[in-house]
Amino acid sequence: MRIGILGSGFIGGPLGRLWAGAGHEVMFSSRHPEKLVKLAEQAGSKAKTGTIEEAAEFGDVIMEAVPFLSIPDLPSDLLAGKVVLSAANYYPSRDGHIELGGKTQSEWVASHLPGAKLVKAFNMMRAGEIERRANGEPFDPLAVFLASDDAEARTVAEQLVREAKFEPVFVGRLADSAVFQATSAPLYDVQISPDEARRRLAIHS
Ligand SMILES: NC(=O)c1ccc[n+]([C@@H]2O[C@H](COP(=O)([O-])OP(=O)(O)OC[C@H]3O[C@@H](n4cnc5c(N)ncnc54)[C@H](OP(=O)(O)O)[C@@H]3O)[C@@H](O)[C@H]2O)c1
């Protein structure tokens, strides 16, 4: 796959390194791509850098990992029709007041990316766990919850979660994703085994 990483910070950086290591072509992007040269070197020969627009165009699959309040600024026309994994979390204390209009956070993201095949992914996982895997350090098997309205996007995301050395646990549609959204849902910010994840999901869904 060609994967465009939008926002190459704590989440986008190590995920891009893992996927480049798994053999995918990766473009890291930010508003200042010149700052990403070291990251791309660390990721190996499959990785390069670009602007947000270049990565949006480059990727067949996109990893969205910019601040929540920046999502309306993304080039949505370039993302239409693509599978977009979104790690977005809304923290009012950090992002300020945003009117979600009764939507889940991921439905709100999808409303700003019309035509994109959105998957909520990695939002409930701590960046340090991703970094550990990217660094080749030992790790415990951990679940990553997913939600999507699109079957193709689900399949792609499940593969990429496994290639990032986590286990995917599918929750349901974007409308069902409140159960693992920030900041206080029962399945948010939980670092648990796939079995424990399925047990807790059965209780809370
Ligand atoms: N950190 C975690 O443990 C964690 C865990 C799960 C989910 N999340 C969520 O994942 C998302 C990203 O978090 P993060 O911790 O990776 O953030 P981060 O380290 O701050 O990285 C976000 C990147 O987005 C870029 N960016 C900032 N404003 C932008 C804009 N207006 N347009 C385009 N790019 C912009 C920044 O790069 P430039 O300034 O170079 O453009 C920055 O490196 C957030 O929604 C967060 O809540 C974080």
Side-chain angles (χ1 to χ4, degrees):
M1 292 180 212
R2 287 156 64 109
I3 304 174
I5 308 280
L6 309 187
S8 307
F10 288 114
I11 295 293
L15 281 175
R17 287 167 58 205
L18 282 157
W19 291 329
H24 298 292
E25 288 182 60
V26 169
M27 185 183 284
F28 292 105
S29 73
S30 91
R31 295 165 300 175
H32 312 284
E34 66 281 1
K35 291 187 186 164
L36 302 177
V37 173
K38 255 181 120 167
L39 174 63
E41 278 173 8
Q42 203 180 10
S45 60
K46 293 279 189 182
K48 53 186 166 182
T49 64
T51 63
I52 294 277
E53 286 74 18
E54 285 167 341
E57 234 167 330
F58 172 84
D60 320 307
V61 176
I62 302 295
M63 181 69 226
E64 176 285 299
V66 299
F68 194 82
L69 80 174
S70 310
I71 286 168
D73 302 333
L74 292 176
S76 57
D77 50 327
L78 300 176
L79 302 176
K82 297 192 176 187
V83 172
V84 177
L85 278 65
S86 171
N89 286 322
Y90 174 42
Y91 277 79
S93 58
R94 179 190 63 191
D95 300 311
H97 178 73
I98 296 174
E99 186 49 60
L100 299 182
K103 298 180 172 72
T104 62
Q105 293 174 17
S106 290
E107 288 177 302
W108 181 88
V109 173
S111 74
H112 286 281
L113 304 178
K117 299 168 184 172
L118 199 83
V119 194
K120 187 177 185 73
F122 294 107
N123 76 296
M124 42 62 70
M125 183 50 59
R126 291 192 178 165
E129 285 293 343
I130 307 173
E131 182 76 28
R132 180 195 301 283
R133 287 158 173 77
N135 291 343
E137 294 165 19
F139 59 85
D140 293 324
L142 294 179
V144 162
F145 289 113
L146 300 176
S148 183
D149 297 345
D150 186 279
E152 177 202 350
R154 172 185 175 172
T155 302
V156 169
E158 286 176 340
Q159 177 184 338
L160 289 174
V161 165
R162 288 195 185 95
E163 289 176 335
K165 306 178 188 173
F166 293 93
E167 269 299 306
V169 175
F170 190 72
V171 171
R173 299 177 66 84
L174 297 180
D176 303 322
S177 65
V179 73
F180 68 105
Q181 74 181 11
T183 58
S184 55
L187 302 182
Y188 176 67
D189 191 20
V190 289
Q191 276 58 157
I192 51 178
S193 71
D195 284 349
E196 177 63 9
R198 288 185 199 97
R199 193 187 71 77
R200 291 198 203 175
L201 182 59
I203 294 170
H204 293 293
S205 58

